[in-house]
Amino acid sequence: ACRHRGMSVCRADVGNAKSFLCSFHGWTYDSAGNLISAPNLESGYHGQLDKSQWGLVAVPRVETYKGLIFGCFAPEAPSLLDYLGEMAWYLDCLLDRREGGTEIIGGVHKMRTRGNWKLAAEQFAGDNYHAIMTHVSVRDAWADPQAGRAPAGFSKAMTLPGRQFSSRQGHGMAGFLLKSSGVPSFSGDPSISEDQGIVADYYKATRNEVANRLGAERADGPADGAGLVFPNFAFLSGVLGSSTIAVFQPRGPHQFDHWRWGIMDKAAPKAVKEAMVRCLHVWPIGVADADDGENWGGIQASLGGPMAQSLKFNYQMGMGTEGPDSVYPGTGVPNMLGEFPQRRFYRRWL
Ligand code: FES
Ligand code: FE
């Protein structure tokens, strides 16, 4: 924010610049954040503006993990690796599958969503349960009785082998575990669409390479699902042909900005990347984010009343099923459905 009146001095999503010119009164900062010029220094400020005191405020902690940049305003915060803890092991399933890491494809998708940011955060931390009802239309939209494709839904899928993970930091995740095909459960149903078939073939072809790199237990998908790095960074990995990352930025208690990017292996062939982009425009950006947003907004509306505010809500699913696992780090639940990560998320938030 500009130190004169607070206007944002960088309004571009991508690119680079040698300096940043504020569009309000024209104060200009260099790429290190120093104030280097302001209009009418003599006739307006009579030479009394001490530019050295009015540079942009630095984010005191900036660290990267496998291509992602995290900033933190708390100088005493733990190191990023300590903070991510066991979650880093799972994040690698998305970020470190192949040499060269990942790249963002297709720009940023921005949605201003009604609802408190925690509704989105708790959902990504572990709420697979909602997909059965909320997203019933997504898989059915691909159904084509004439081609012999029945509506698929998510109900059965949620009984497939899977795992939830949660950490004391409030991170959470729920993903499918696959035997050894290397294909995420929903990233490769050629009967659903040709693009998903292309993506499925890619996962199959790279499975052994990923297993050599990360080990079989990670090649076979513990993070193929949704996850949250507390408080507001989320991912959706290997679902219906796409992988995405997202950030939820609160805009007061009643709405938030929901930003989402497609992410994929840099080393993937162009045709696979293009198929993944077409998949992500259906899921999650085209349909699923709107499905979720409709529910978050409806919750926010009902929570505005005094009656709803006095109620307790039910977070009991899977209580007592959590525990350590011999293969997967952290505390987990040995299936896809449960509310353990959501309970942990709110405990950390409290
Ligand atoms: Fe930036 Fe005035 S707000 S120059
Ligand atoms: Fe959803």
Side-chain angles (χ1 to χ4, degrees), residues 32-80:
N34 303 303
L35 178 62
I36 50 174
S37 74
N40 297 58
L41 277 173
E42 282 308 320
S43 61
Y45 288 100
H46 310 289
Q48 290 168 349
L49 176 66
D50 181 355
K51 294 202 296 280
S52 71
Q53 298 301 304
W54 294 99
L56 299 175
V57 172
V59 180
R61 299 288 298 276
V62 177
E63 290 183 50
T64 64
Y65 186 73
K66 310 235 164 146
L68 302 180
I69 304 168
F70 292 80
C72 178
F73 279 104
E76 72 287 359
S79 75
L80 178 61

Side-chain angles (χ1 to χ4, degrees), residues 51-108:
K51 294 202 296 280
S52 71
Q53 298 301 304
W54 294 99
L56 299 175
V57 172
V59 180
R61 299 288 298 276
V62 177
E63 290 183 50
T64 64
Y65 186 73
K66 310 235 164 146
L68 302 180
I69 304 168
F70 292 80
C72 178
F73 279 104
E76 72 287 359
S79 75
L80 178 61
L81 219 51
D82 280 352
Y83 181 76
L84 291 175
E86 291 135 343
M87 192 59 163
W89 190 90
Y90 293 98
L91 282 176
D92 289 351
C93 304
L94 172 66
L95 300 176
D96 200 15
R97 287 172 27 88
R98 301 188 68 191
E99 188 66 36
T102 55
E103 67 184 25
I104 295 295
I105 298 218
V108 57

Side-chain angles (χ1 to χ4, degrees), residues 123 130 134-135 283 288 292:
Q123 179 181 299
H130 84 285
T134 296
H135 301 307
W283 170 284
D292 290 325

Side-chain angles (χ1 to χ4, degrees), residues 108-121:
V108 57
H109 298 256
K110 298 181 177 180
M111 298 155 272
R112 181 150 294 177
T113 302
R114 203 155 54 99
N116 185 275
W117 68 274
K118 294 191 294 301
L119 295 168

Side-chain angles (χ1 to χ4, degrees), residues 4-5 10 22 24 45 66 113-114 116 134 137 139 147 157 180 184 207 217 220 233 246 257 260 275-276 315 334-335:
H4 182 230
R5 289 292 185 280
C10 178
C22 179
F24 199 2
Y45 288 100
K66 310 235 164 146
T113 302
R114 203 155 54 99
N116 185 275
T134 296
S137 59
R139 299 194 79 203
S180 63
R207 189 266 167 194
E217 68 278 10
D220 298 330
F233 169 68
D257 282 347
R260 189 178 290 283
M276 285 179 160
Y315 280 78
N335 52 45

